[in-house]
């Protein structure tokens, strides 16, 4: 079920990127809408998890805090429709730079533990960082930055779909 969900989300990412690339003027509004909805849904999901299970767990309040923060960031993102596009693109650049940095750190950790998937994670992180840098270079030209972001989104979707088709290993304890 998880693999199917990953494939479907990857296909939606490609569809969203195609919409953004086809019309950069509306792509800006589409990015805001998708980010706001995604953050709000993730916040509600995290809050639901807290109220059903995590409040009885050790460090369960962490789930509550993350849910509230995600919900707040979703509301903030949704309210950025009247803000100049420069600030929203800076917001997206920060998200991609952070994601790339985290992916690179995860790849280094996976490499130190002997995992075979570290190269793919490292490549994904480097491409996220390069995409953020290119967006910084072209931040005054919103259409080019939206185009670059759309291409990066397509790349992320392809990686997500390819990871869904990858075989997993099961460890059996005897």
């Amino acid at each position: 079920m998880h693999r199917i969900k990953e494939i479907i989300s990857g296909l939606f990412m490609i569809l969203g990127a195609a919409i953004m690339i086809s019309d950069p003027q509306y792509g800006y509004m589409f990015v805001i809408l998708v980010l706001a909805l995604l953050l709000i849904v993730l916040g509600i999901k995290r809050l639901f998890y807290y109220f059903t299970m995590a409040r009885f767990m050790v460090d369960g309040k962490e789930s509550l805090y993350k849910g509230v923060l995600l919900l707040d960031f979703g509301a903030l993102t949704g309210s950025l429709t009247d803000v100049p596009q420069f600030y929203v693109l800076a917001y997206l650049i920060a998200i991609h730079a952070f994601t790339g940095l985290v992916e690179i750190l995860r790849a280094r950790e996976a490499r130190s533990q002997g995992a075979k998937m570290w190269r793919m994670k490292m490549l994904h992180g480097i491409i996220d960082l390069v995409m953020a840098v290119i967006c910084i270079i072209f931040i005054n030209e919103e259409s080019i930055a939206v185009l670059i972001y759309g291409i990066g989104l397509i790349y992320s979707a392809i990686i997500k779909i390819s990871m869904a088709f990858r075989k997993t290993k099961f460890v059996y304890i005897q």
Side-chain angles (χ1 to χ4, degrees):
M1 199 63 179
H2 179 70
R3 290 177 190 228
I4 293 171
K5 186 172 75 170
E6 291 293 310
I7 292 169
I8 290 172
S9 72
L11 291 174
F12 275 122
M13 287 170 66
I14 291 173
L15 178 68
I19 291 171
M20 284 189 325
I21 291 171
S22 68
D23 191 4
Q25 300 283 328
Y26 292 109
Y28 166 75
M29 294 303 289
F30 184 75
V31 168
I32 289 177
L33 176 71
V34 168
L35 278 176
L37 287 176
L38 180 68
L39 289 170
I40 289 171
V41 167
L42 288 174
I44 290 171
K45 183 178 173 183
R46 186 65 70 142
L47 288 173
F48 181 75
Y49 174 69
Y50 170 75
F51 287 117
T52 56
M53 291 179 60
R55 67 181 172 170
F56 304 113
M57 299 167 61
V58 175
D59 290 334
K61 285 190 179 180
E62 179 182 325
S63 191
L64 172 69
Y65 300 144
K66 284 182 181 178
V68 170
L69 281 174
L70 285 170
L71 203 58
D72 285 345
F73 279 132
L76 172 71
T77 304
S79 69
L80 292 177
T81 56
D82 297 331
V83 176
Q85 293 181 1
F86 174 82
Y87 296 113
V88 175
L89 288 173
Y91 185 59
L92 289 174
I93 289 167
I95 289 172
H96 268 285
F98 180 74
T99 303
L101 182 65
V102 167
E103 200 69 25
I104 288 172
L105 292 174
R106 287 179 61 205
R108 290 185 60 198
E109 181 183 1
R111 181 179 179 203
S112 69
Q113 293 178 357
K116 295 182 182 185
M117 285 296 298
W118 72 271
R119 288 182 184 94
M120 181 73 94
K121 288 181 186 289
M122 182 69 79
L123 179 66
H124 185 63
I126 290 171
I127 288 176
D128 265 346
L129 281 178
V130 167
M131 188 174 62
V133 169
I134 291 173
C135 280
I136 288 171
I137 293 169
F138 293 109
I139 196 161
N140 291 327
E141 300 174 33
E142 285 90 9
S143 61
I144 292 176
V146 169
L147 175 73
I148 293 168
Y149 181 75
I151 292 169
L153 196 60
I154 289 173
Y155 172 75
S156 294
I158 290 170
I159 293 293
K160 189 175 219 174
I161 291 171
S162 69
M163 295 292 259
F165 284 114
R166 186 152 278 189
K167 288 189 174 200
T168 56
K169 294 181 180 178
F170 293 101
V171 177
Y172 294 103
I173 301 173
Q174 296 181 2

